[in-house]
Amino acid sequence: MSGNSIGVLFKVTTWGESHGPATGAVVEGCPPGIDLEEEDIQKALNRRRPGRIASSSPRKEEDAVKILSGTFQGKTTGTPISLIIHNTNVDSSAYEDIKDIFRPGHGDFTYFKKYGIRDYRGGGRASGRETAARVAAGVVAGKIISREGMEVIAYTKSLGGIAIKLENMEAQEITRENIGESRLMCPDADAAEKMEAKLEEARRIGDSLGGIVEIIVRGCPAGLGDPVFDKMDADLAKALMSIGTVKGVEIGAGFTVAEMAGSEANDPITTDGFLSNHAGGILAGITTGEEIVIRIACKPIPSISKVQKSIDVQGMPVELSIKGRHDVSVIPRIIPVCEAMANIVLADHLLRQKAIV
Amino acid sequence: MSGNSIGVLFKVTTWGESHGPATGAVVEGCPPGIDLEEEDIQKALNRRRPGRIASSSPRKEEDAVKILSGTFQGKTTGTPISLIIHNTNVDSSAYEDIKDIFRPGHGDFTYFKKYGIRDYRGGGRASGRETAARVAAGVVAGKIISREGMEVIAYTKSLGGIAIKLENMEAQEITRENIGESRLMCPDADAAEKMEAKLEEARRIGDSLGGIVEIIVRGCPAGLGDPVFDKMDADLAKALMSIGTVKGVEIGAGFTVAEMAGSEANDPITTDGFLSNHAGGILAGITTGEEIVIRIACKPIPSISKVQKSIDVQGMPVELSIKGRHDVSVIPRIIPVCEAMANIVLADHLLRQKAIV
Amino acid sequence: MSGNSIGVLFKVTTWGESHGPATGAVVEGCPPGIDLEEEDIQKALNRRRPGRIASSSPRKEEDAVKILSGTFQGKTTGTPISLIIHNTNVDSSAYEDIKDIFRPGHGDFTYFKKYGIRDYRGGGRASGRETAARVAAGVVAGKIISREGMEVIAYTKSLGGIAIKLENMEAQEITRENIGESRLMCPDADAAEKMEAKLEEARRIGDSLGGIVEIIVRGCPAGLGDPVFDKMDADLAKALMSIGTVKGVEIGAGFTVAEMAGSEANDPITTDGFLSNHAGGILAGITTGEEIVIRIACKPIPSISKVQKSIDVQGMPVELSIKGRHDVSVIPRIIPVCEAMANIVLADHLLRQKAIV
Amino acid sequence: MSGNSIGVLFKVTTWGESHGPATGAVVEGCPPGIDLEEEDIQKALNRRRPGRIASSSPRKEEDAVKILSGTFQGKTTGTPISLIIHNTNVDSSAYEDIKDIFRPGHGDFTYFKKYGIRDYRGGGRASGRETAARVAAGVVAGKIISREGMEVIAYTKSLGGIAIKLENMEAQEITRENIGESRLMCPDADAAEKMEAKLEEARRIGDSLGGIVEIIVRGCPAGLGDPVFDKMDADLAKALMSIGTVKGVEIGAGFTVAEMAGSEANDPITTDGFLSNHAGGILAGITTGEEIVIRIACKPIPSISKVQKSIDVQGMPVELSIKGRHDVSVIPRIIPVCEAMANIVLADHLLRQKAIV
């Protein structure tokens, strides 16, 4: 495997560079008979599109998806679903000035070391552009798991050091509604306002911000996942860590378990289910039936206009300032990508479980 | 795939339950001509063995490994290396009392939900016992990467809330030596002393402790890993999260990137290499040539003698106190397992890179 | 895996139905730096195109290929190569009359049993149309193996019961030249003439013909292939048997070995190589360095205008005569497909061997 | 993958050399709750054991199998089933004389070219010994498919040029009974007698014989297999061609289709099923519900006492006569191996189909 696929039975293979003619995904293993139209996918792609927030990328990504195979009369047929998104509005000229320079924080240097080739037109396969294909594929996965009552919700938990506070929120819980009302996909309106100010400040000084996204899976039955290498949490960790921006993944109580005693960390089991959910819905790699709770750490976008030190292809030192108006944070654009990756892992394990029982 | 394998070209498949006759691993993809004797593997298994620390498991795991195939005259042949560890000293009687009870924090409940079967003799495939096979396989992987000058070192970074302090240490750096001198594999002698006291206290009250392990890879060349799903960090995250105790994985600056600005998080590149290593040695999924730095969060061992609430197979509420002297923490026993998993991922990507260039 | 991919390191995934908007392939694992232009692929597709022979399919398949990713400035980059062939000239109206009927010899019945869906517009994934994607991908594979001096040649060995005779041929050997001169890709001009007459006769009476194709690999080094399941001959057999028309595969002496004595079948080894090649270039699944020789049996095309018995979707008996001018034989159109499949298997094993030595 | 596994959901990985301490298989994907005892497997291994026929191998292979994991209280648990067969009675001394010589017809030469290593103790992984692990694993597969009413029967169709004649047989059909009564697993008693004489003659002159085995699958439902690369016939072809002795595989009418007209080869469909079965139970890679019929060509055993030409490791010419009393034909010992491989492929596709519907 050349690393372009994820999943065993529900499998997604993506292809395409940021500045090539198109990007796409081949989605295998989707059962026949599921309603699937281009507009279902388009809606998800629109959520990922730049321009949601003021300080967003100037590149107008149309992201118009086409279904090239795998459906007939609006339903899946069981055969591979080929999805294509043409790269309109591709302008590589912005990269001409830095074509020989390795941008810090990007994959330019490592890509060159791996392949011995410098495709200077953006990030190639490591570009955020590739995630459009994931989002498209994730819609198909989402249809499979929603048939079983599962739902994945992701939202901005913190941005630039500002975290939401459940107790400040009217609803005191995370819902699709209170996330959806927010431009930043942040359910706490107060926090969202402060985040916006932080973003504006960062944009002003030519810098960028990181943050934390939480992904919640509701309605997942007990019994999905494997007890050894393909643990549900291991597969979710891989899927989410495979998003370029992610530097950390934690499940349930996550890193805080390191300071807990067993009597605190263990979730007592009762006839009504678990009394707590430090496990984050997964025990021994298999789902418990409780909410699956995952958090990821997103690094600040590496493209900043502040001057940075680097080297060029010849190994000579350079200083660079990345021009153009880039996104200031991958949040909230990364959120549909997180949902897509969780959808894909869940759909795969759901199908795998079918072959067991 | 049934989830018992990891790796593409260097592939490890483990088998065996905690209380069956044996556990083992089949190691595929090891190139021919590498020196490999049983004693090489035995040494690593001994590091994982209970009894290193006072408050350790009473089960005397002999863990005597045998090589059943794949070597000839002390060298690998290129064919699958079958490793077997017989489960001597297996006594399932301790489980008789709780044979119908789902132990909190263990996989008993989820395992039952997945397979519809209650194998009450310990944790089955989800048992810590399975990690012996990983350690054995990891030795083979370690031989492959050490030929290229790579080395994986893991150590106790914190335990029960007590963290090491580099500035307190004479060496002011992590070395195999200062880790090796410590029973807890903790390079800071002061911290180690406090950890011991904490462990003793937890043992006394019948509780357990969690902690953080850091894994460092030295000597890794730039260019290993893939830019999309099989990113080096994604594969490391999966490999480490597949260890039962792990609830979080972070790379380089990890979760702290969430509060950084891009100008801080980006590692400037100079003619002498990177000026900092927030990336933890991986950019866009591909190694940079700097140290790879990973931290994992380990939950407290769920088997505690403190009374806990749970239910039995019939769904009736019960209270249980897990008898016997169990380990108080997976640290330091988990450390050789972490090293093994990192070895395996690195060996796999090293071989994969050979097919590219 | 959903069965749409072939290969481990050099991997081809195809997608697309016969009457959807397009068909294509994602080619993974191609090393960077190999010259690859659309016209290289187009040439191979043109060899597969109907219309080579008089009695060929009326559907004018333009088969214009586009490279959507994986190349930069005319060279491969090491990333997945996405190839697309738009289905122009698609007219499903011919299928309207038989939309509820299972055509004998086709996959209509089994497809329906598998997926519970009747996509009546041609053969779906089982259509010969899918092989265009294989041919396109095979060109990439061919570039990889030709760098190592390997070449795959396939030709018509028999058609409608008429077999070539080496002793009748001037060259007395199979060359790209004497195959290329023939419309039927048959190196024996005499035999070719008789085959043409047979085809014409079959066409006249609304019937179709089968035949045998031989595939020869020249320049293959010793040492490729695996000694157990992924034997070179096993992988070739699968690759070729996965072409819809193929009902038998044999290597070297093939089925005639069943009547040989060991002293006859064994190929003596000398300082100048093997004295004979009953093994067909493969021993214990690994190449010997001699020519690899494979023969496949192609069944007659099942679409015939002669009246046939069948049933419809409701299980009622029907009689049908398939209208339109269909190909009379898959030969010679299948020949580039055979070459492509052999190329793919060889390229995969070549890359796999790189990771071993 | 290193080529030691077969199957996607039902997956078998074998390990072990002919003259190492043991050989074995790890069987993954077996659903929980299936009765499985060592004696079930032992019975199949005994059918494969040498000594069934007079002119058989002198090596007394005890082939006593042990189940090391994956069962509890006589039932499968859903976890990997590890099977081990210790190589008792291993005597490598017979190989001392030929330790530097490449035996014609064996993998010695190619193995050396692949791995650069000469493990002269028998055939290593390419040894017939490895098939014991396949037979053991095949029993597990057989249990899965027999739950669905499927059964695989293989028998000797021809040996040394002598073929069975259905019309000569009382039953006029192939049954487990008339096969089982025959030492050669040949249902035609007349033919069997002639085969015995042929074998005796070959043994006398120090030569060996080939033959043809037919494998029939009864009770297979329609709908198993995939329409593209993982066609049922393609996977069967690979599985069977991966047996060292096999030089050809054909399905249904096989190579005879090459001389048929479409009107003859097509199997008319009626309300009572197919009127004929030239397709051999598979159309477009998917089972039709009719009997699956496969034939394989087995080459004569390459170990003969007749003098042969070869070279040694240094490339110098030698003459050799292989000593000891070797089998004269792989038939009938290969027959349980063929059944095992068919079982494995069918079990895998059965489980895969579960994830589709």
Side-chain angles (χ1 to χ4, degrees):
Chain A
M1 271 193 299
S2 318
N4 303 292
S5 301
I6 192 160
V8 174
L9 285 183
F10 183 83
K11 190 167 69 165
V12 174
T13 303
T14 73
W15 54 267
E17 280 78 40
S18 56
H19 286 70
T23 189
V26 180
V27 180
E28 295 171 86
C30 181
I34 294 179
D35 292 324
L36 185 70
E37 306 273 6
E38 282 168 1
E39 62 189 84
D40 299 326
I41 301 171
Q42 195 60 54
K43 252 182 269 174
L45 286 172
N46 294 349
R47 287 178 68 214
R48 181 198 156 277
R49 197 153 52 182
R52 278 184 67 92
I53 57 172
S55 26
S56 71
S57 164
R59 173 169 169 185
K60 186 146 175 11
E61 299 186 18
E62 290 282 341
D63 281 359
V65 71
K66 274 198 172 305
I67 300 176
L68 294 176
S69 69
T71 63
F72 180 53
Q73 299 176 334
K75 283 185 192 300
T76 60
T77 59
T79 62
I81 301 165
S82 178
L83 304 170
I84 192 171
I85 303 163
H86 282 278
N87 289 336
T88 55
N89 209 331
V90 175
D91 177 9
S92 306
S93 65
Y95 293 91
E96 284 292 326
D97 285 355
I98 52 168
K99 63 183 280 191
D100 291 333
I101 298 175
F102 299 126
R103 293 169 297 162
H106 279 283
D108 300 359
F109 175 77
T110 57
Y111 218 79
F112 181 72
K113 287 290 181 180
K114 181 174 195 67
Y115 297 111
I117 274 186
R118 174 93 183 104
D119 177 352
Y120 55 81
R121 307 160 305 163
R125 289 290 287 156
S127 165
R129 181 85 196 130
E130 185 265 345
T131 62
R134 301 186 184 203
V135 170
V139 170
V140 183
K143 296 221 159 198
I144 295 171
I145 64 170
S146 73
R147 292 201 303 179
E148 313 275 334
M150 281 187 252
E151 182 190 30
V152 174
I153 300 180
Y155 69 96
T156 304
K157 193 166 185 76
S158 84
L159 200 163
I162 297 156
I164 69 155
K165 288 184 181 146
L166 263 190
E167 61 274 21
N168 284 2
M169 293 164 49
E170 205 180 329
Q172 306 226 345
E173 61 168 348
I174 308 300
T175 63
R176 238 191 220 298
E177 287 66 39
N178 55 26
I179 298 167
E181 283 156 15
S182 157
R183 220 169 38 138
L184 289 177
M185 299 195 194
C186 170
D188 175 352
D190 260 16
E193 203 179 311
K194 289 177 193 145
M195 290 171 185
E196 296 271 15
K198 261 270 177 158
L199 283 170
E200 181 51 31
E201 165 69 8
R203 193 196 57 72
R204 206 182 44 78
I205 61 172
D207 216 330
S208 62
L209 298 175
I212 290 174
V213 171
E214 185 164 276
I215 302 115
I216 300 172
V217 184
R218 291 182 174 146
C220 182
L224 303 191
D226 254 37
V228 188
F229 296 116
D230 292 0
K231 286 185 162 79
M232 179 62 86
D233 33 0
D235 278 352
L236 285 167
K238 169 165 177 165
L240 291 162
M241 195 70 101
S242 80
I243 305 172
T245 189
V246 177
K247 298 303 286 183
V249 179
E250 57 179 13
I251 310 284
F255 273 85
T256 67
V257 295
E259 306 201 3
M260 287 183 186
S263 54
E264 183 189 359
N266 281 357
D267 303 310
I269 317 178
T270 73
T271 50
D272 295 329
F274 292 81
L275 283 190
S276 54
N277 191 15
H278 295 106
I282 302 169
L283 272 175
I286 305 170
T287 55
T288 62
E290 301 292 310
E291 274 189 2
I292 301 175
V293 181
I294 317 150
R295 278 174 304 284
I296 58 160
C298 300
K299 72 175 187 180
I301 280 184
S303 291
I304 55 176
S305 59
K306 273 196 174 174
V307 174
Q308 300 181 85
K309 277 185 209 305
S310 189
I311 58 171
D312 65 16
V313 179
Q314 279 74 40
M316 300 303 293
V318 293
E319 294 210 326
L320 84 162
S321 159
I322 296 172
K323 293 175 205 156
R325 267 177 60 218
H326 286 268
D327 276 340
V328 171
S329 175
V330 293
I331 293 175
R333 292 185 63 197
I334 206 67
I335 289 176
V337 183
C338 296
E339 291 180 356
M341 296 314 294
N343 282 347
I344 289 167
V345 171
L346 290 162
D348 187 36
H349 276 288
L350 183 66
L351 298 183
R352 288 166 74 168
Q353 184 64 9
K354 281 195 179 188
I356 290 173
V357 289
Chain B
M1 272 193 298
S2 318
N4 303 291
S5 300
I6 192 160
V8 175
L9 285 184
F10 183 82
K11 190 168 68 166
V12 174
T13 302
T14 73
W15 54 266
E17 280 79 39
S18 56
H19 287 71
T23 188
V26 180
V27 180
E28 295 170 85
C30 181
I34 294 180
D35 293 326
L36 184 70
E37 305 274 5
E38 282 168 2
E39 62 189 84
D40 299 325
I41 300 172
Q42 195 60 56
K43 252 181 272 175
L45 286 171
N46 293 350
R47 288 178 69 213
R48 182 197 156 276
R49 197 151 54 181
R52 278 185 66 95
I53 59 173
S55 25
S56 72
S57 165
R59 173 170 171 187
K60 187 149 172 9
E61 297 185 19
E62 290 282 341
D63 281 359
V65 71
K66 274 199 174 303
I67 300 176
L68 295 174
S69 67
T71 63
F72 180 53
Q73 300 175 333
K75 285 184 191 301
T76 60
T77 59
T79 63
I81 300 165
S82 178
L83 304 171
I84 191 169
I85 303 163
H86 283 278
N87 289 336
T88 55
N89 210 330
V90 174
D91 177 9
S92 307
S93 65
Y95 293 91
E96 282 294 325
D97 285 356
I98 52 169
K99 63 183 280 194
D100 291 333
I101 298 175
F102 299 125
R103 293 168 298 163
H106 278 283
D108 300 359
F109 176 76
T110 56
Y111 218 77
F112 182 71
K113 287 290 182 180
K114 180 173 196 66
Y115 297 111
I117 273 186
R118 174 94 183 104
D119 177 353
Y120 55 81
R121 309 160 305 163
R125 288 291 286 155
S127 164
R129 180 86 195 127
E130 185 265 344
T131 60
R134 300 187 185 203
V135 169
V139 171
V140 184
K143 296 220 161 200
I144 296 171
I145 64 170
S146 73
R147 291 202 304 179
E148 313 274 334
M150 280 187 254
E151 184 190 29
V152 174
I153 299 179
Y155 70 96
T156 304
K157 192 165 184 78
S158 84
L159 199 162
I162 297 156
I164 69 155
K165 287 184 182 148
L166 261 190
E167 59 275 21
N168 285 2
M169 293 165 49
E170 206 178 329
Q172 305 226 344
E173 60 168 348
I174 309 300
T175 65
R176 235 187 221 302
E177 286 67 39
N178 56 25
I179 298 167
E181 283 156 15
S182 157
R183 220 169 39 139
L184 289 176
M185 298 193 195
C186 171
D188 174 351
D190 260 15
E193 205 180 309
K194 289 177 192 145
M195 290 171 185
E196 296 271 16
K198 260 268 175 159
L199 283 169
E200 182 50 33
E201 164 69 10
R203 193 195 59 71
R204 205 181 47 77
I205 62 172
D207 216 329
S208 63
L209 298 176
I212 290 175
V213 171
E214 184 163 278
I215 301 114
I216 299 173
V217 185
R218 291 182 174 148
C220 182
L224 303 191
D226 253 37
V228 188
F229 296 117
D230 291 0
K231 286 183 161 80
M232 178 62 84
D233 33 0
D235 278 351
L236 285 167
K238 169 165 177 164
L240 291 164
M241 195 71 100
S242 80
I243 305 172
T245 189
V246 178
K247 298 303 286 184
V249 180
E250 57 178 13
I251 310 284
F255 273 86
T256 66
V257 294
E259 306 201 4
M260 286 182 186
S263 54
E264 184 188 358
N266 281 357
D267 303 310
I269 317 178
T270 73
T271 50
D272 295 328
F274 292 80
L275 283 189
S276 55
N277 190 15
H278 295 105
I282 303 169
L283 273 176
I286 305 169
T287 55
T288 62
E290 301 291 310
E291 275 190 2
I292 301 176
V293 182
I294 317 151
R295 277 173 306 283
I296 59 160
C298 300
K299 72 175 186 181
I301 279 184
S303 290
I304 55 176
S305 59
K306 274 197 173 172
V307 174
Q308 302 181 82
K309 278 184 208 306
S310 189
I311 58 172
D312 66 15
V313 179
Q314 281 73 40
M316 300 304 292
V318 295
E319 294 210 327
L320 84 161
S321 159
I322 296 172
K323 292 176 206 155
R325 267 176 61 216
H326 286 269
D327 276 339
V328 173
S329 175
V330 293
I331 293 175
R333 290 186 64 199
I334 206 67
I335 288 176
V337 183
C338 296
E339 290 179 357
M341 296 313 294
N343 282 348
I344 290 167
V345 171
L346 290 163
D348 187 36
H349 276 287
L350 183 66
L351 297 183
R352 289 166 73 170
Q353 183 65 8
K354 280 195 181 189
I356 289 174
V357 289
Chain C
M1 273 194 298
S2 318
N4 302 291
S5 300
I6 192 160
V8 175
L9 285 183
F10 184 82
K11 190 168 68 166
V12 174
T13 303
T14 73
W15 54 266
E17 280 79 40
S18 57
H19 287 70
T23 189
V26 179
V27 180
E28 296 171 86
C30 180
I34 295 179
D35 292 326
L36 184 69
E37 306 273 6
E38 283 168 0
E39 63 189 84
D40 299 325
I41 301 172
Q42 195 60 55
K43 254 181 270 175
L45 286 172
N46 293 350
R47 288 179 68 213
R48 181 197 157 276
R49 198 153 52 183
R52 279 185 65 94
I53 58 173
S55 26
S56 71
S57 164
R59 173 170 170 186
K60 185 147 175 12
E61 298 185 19
E62 290 282 340
D63 281 358
V65 72
K66 275 198 171 306
I67 300 176
L68 295 175
S69 68
T71 62
F72 180 52
Q73 298 176 333
K75 283 184 192 301
T76 60
T77 60
T79 63
I81 301 165
S82 178
L83 304 171
I84 192 170
I85 304 162
H86 283 277
N87 290 337
T88 54
N89 210 329
V90 174
D91 176 10
S92 306
S93 65
Y95 292 92
E96 283 294 325
D97 284 356
I98 52 169
K99 63 183 282 193
D100 291 332
I101 298 175
F102 299 125
R103 294 168 297 162
H106 279 282
D108 300 359
F109 175 77
T110 56
Y111 218 79
F112 182 72
K113 287 290 182 181
K114 178 172 197 68
Y115 298 111
I117 273 186
R118 174 94 181 105
D119 176 353
Y120 54 83
R121 307 160 305 162
R125 288 291 286 154
S127 164
R129 179 85 195 130
E130 185 266 345
T131 61
R134 301 186 184 203
V135 169
V139 171
V140 183
K143 295 221 160 200
I144 295 171
I145 64 169
S146 73
R147 291 201 303 180
E148 314 274 335
M150 281 187 252
E151 184 190 30
V152 174
I153 299 180
Y155 69 96
T156 304
K157 192 165 185 77
S158 84
L159 201 164
I162 297 155
I164 70 156
K165 288 183 182 149
L166 263 189
E167 61 274 23
N168 285 2
M169 294 164 48
E170 204 179 330
Q172 305 224 344
E173 60 170 347
I174 309 299
T175 64
R176 241 195 215 299
E177 286 65 40
N178 56 25
I179 298 167
E181 282 157 14
S182 156
R183 218 167 43 136
L184 289 176
M185 299 194 195
C186 171
D188 175 350
D190 260 14
E193 203 179 311
K194 288 177 193 144
M195 291 171 186
E196 296 270 16
K198 260 270 177 162
L199 282 170
E200 183 49 33
E201 165 69 8
R203 193 195 59 72
R204 205 181 45 79
I205 61 173
D207 216 329
S208 62
L209 297 176
I212 290 175
V213 170
E214 184 164 277
I215 301 113
I216 300 173
V217 185
R218 291 182 174 147
C220 182
L224 303 191
D226 253 37
V228 188
F229 296 115
D230 292 0
K231 285 185 163 80
M232 178 62 85
D233 33 0
D235 278 351
L236 285 166
K238 169 165 177 163
L240 291 163
M241 194 71 101
S242 80
I243 305 173
T245 189
V246 178
K247 298 305 285 183
V249 179
E250 57 179 12
I251 310 284
F255 273 85
T256 66
V257 294
E259 307 200 4
M260 287 183 187
S263 54
E264 182 189 359
N266 282 355
D267 303 310
I269 318 178
T270 72
T271 50
D272 296 329
F274 292 81
L275 283 189
S276 55
N277 190 16
H278 295 106
I282 302 170
L283 272 176
I286 305 170
T287 54
T288 62
E290 300 292 308
E291 275 190 359
I292 301 175
V293 181
I294 317 150
R295 278 172 306 282
I296 59 161
C298 301
K299 72 176 187 180
I301 280 183
S303 291
I304 55 175
S305 59
K306 273 197 173 172
V307 173
Q308 300 181 85
K309 276 186 208 306
S310 189
I311 58 172
D312 65 16
V313 180
Q314 281 74 39
M316 301 303 293
V318 295
E319 295 210 326
L320 82 161
S321 158
I322 297 173
K323 293 175 206 157
R325 268 176 61 216
H326 287 268
D327 276 340
V328 172
S329 175
V330 293
I331 293 175
R333 289 188 64 199
I334 207 66
I335 289 175
V337 183
C338 297
E339 291 180 356
M341 296 314 293
N343 282 347
I344 289 167
V345 171
L346 290 163
D348 188 36
H349 276 286
L350 183 66
L351 297 183
R352 289 166 73 168
Q353 183 65 8
K354 280 195 180 190
I356 289 173
V357 290
Chain D
M1 272 196 299
S2 318
N4 302 291
S5 300
I6 192 160
V8 174
L9 285 183
F10 183 83
K11 190 168 67 166
V12 174
T13 303
T14 74
W15 54 266
E17 279 79 39
S18 56
H19 286 70
T23 189
V26 180
V27 180
E28 295 171 84
C30 180
I34 294 180
D35 292 326
L36 184 70
E37 306 272 7
E38 281 168 2
E39 62 188 85
D40 299 326
I41 301 172
Q42 195 60 56
K43 251 181 272 174
L45 285 172
N46 294 349
R47 289 178 67 216
R48 181 197 155 277
R49 198 154 51 184
R52 280 185 65 95
I53 57 172
S55 28
S56 69
S57 165
R59 174 170 169 184
K60 187 151 174 7
E61 299 185 19
E62 290 282 341
D63 281 359
V65 73
K66 274 198 171 306
I67 300 177
L68 295 175
S69 68
T71 62
F72 180 53
Q73 299 175 334
K75 282 185 193 299
T76 60
T77 60
T79 62
I81 301 165
S82 177
L83 305 170
I84 191 170
I85 303 162
H86 282 278
N87 289 337
T88 54
N89 209 331
V90 174
D91 177 9
S92 306
S93 65
Y95 291 93
E96 283 294 325
D97 285 355
I98 52 169
K99 61 182 282 193
D100 291 333
I101 297 175
F102 300 125
R103 293 169 297 163
H106 279 283
D108 300 359
F109 175 77
T110 57
Y111 218 77
F112 181 72
K113 287 290 182 180
K114 179 173 195 68
Y115 298 111
I117 273 185
R118 173 93 181 103
D119 176 354
Y120 54 81
R121 309 159 304 163
R125 290 289 286 154
S127 164
R129 181 83 194 131
E130 185 266 344
T131 61
R134 301 186 184 204
V135 169
V139 171
V140 184
K143 295 222 159 197
I144 296 171
I145 65 170
S146 74
R147 292 201 302 179
E148 314 275 334
M150 280 187 253
E151 185 190 28
V152 174
I153 300 181
Y155 70 96
T156 304
K157 192 164 186 77
S158 85
L159 200 163
I162 297 155
I164 70 156
K165 287 185 182 148
L166 262 190
E167 61 274 22
N168 285 2
M169 294 164 49
E170 204 179 330
Q172 306 226 342
E173 60 169 346
I174 308 300
T175 65
R176 239 194 217 298
E177 288 65 40
N178 55 26
I179 298 167
E181 283 156 14
S182 158
R183 217 168 42 136
L184 289 177
M185 299 194 194
C186 171
D188 174 351
D190 260 15
E193 204 179 310
K194 289 177 193 145
M195 290 171 186
E196 297 270 15
K198 261 271 176 158
L199 282 170
E200 182 50 32
E201 164 70 8
R203 194 195 58 72
R204 206 181 45 77
I205 61 172
D207 216 329
S208 62
L209 298 176
I212 289 175
V213 172
E214 184 163 276
I215 302 116
I216 300 173
V217 185
R218 290 181 176 148
C220 182
L224 303 191
D226 253 37
V228 187
F229 297 116
D230 292 1
K231 286 184 162 79
M232 178 63 85
D233 33 0
D235 279 351
L236 286 166
K238 169 164 177 164
L240 291 163
M241 194 72 100
S242 80
I243 305 172
T245 189
V246 178
K247 298 304 286 182
V249 179
E250 58 178 12
I251 311 284
F255 273 85
T256 66
V257 295
E259 306 201 5
M260 286 183 186
S263 54
E264 183 188 1
N266 283 354
D267 303 310
I269 318 177
T270 73
T271 51
D272 296 329
F274 292 80
L275 283 190
S276 54
N277 190 16
H278 295 105
I282 302 169
L283 272 176
I286 305 170
T287 55
T288 62
E290 300 292 309
E291 275 189 0
I292 301 175
V293 182
I294 316 151
R295 278 173 305 282
I296 58 160
C298 300
K299 72 176 186 180
I301 279 184
S303 291
I304 55 176
S305 59
K306 272 197 174 171
V307 174
Q308 300 181 86
K309 277 186 209 306
S310 190
I311 57 172
D312 64 17
V313 179
Q314 280 73 40
M316 301 303 294
V318 295
E319 295 210 324
L320 83 162
S321 158
I322 296 173
K323 294 175 204 154
R325 267 179 59 218
H326 287 269
D327 276 340
V328 172
S329 174
V330 293
I331 293 175
R333 290 187 64 199
I334 207 67
I335 289 175
V337 183
C338 296
E339 290 180 357
M341 296 314 294
N343 282 348
I344 289 168
V345 172
L346 290 162
D348 187 36
H349 276 287
L350 183 66
L351 297 183
R352 288 166 74 169
Q353 183 65 8
K354 281 195 179 189
I356 289 173
V357 290

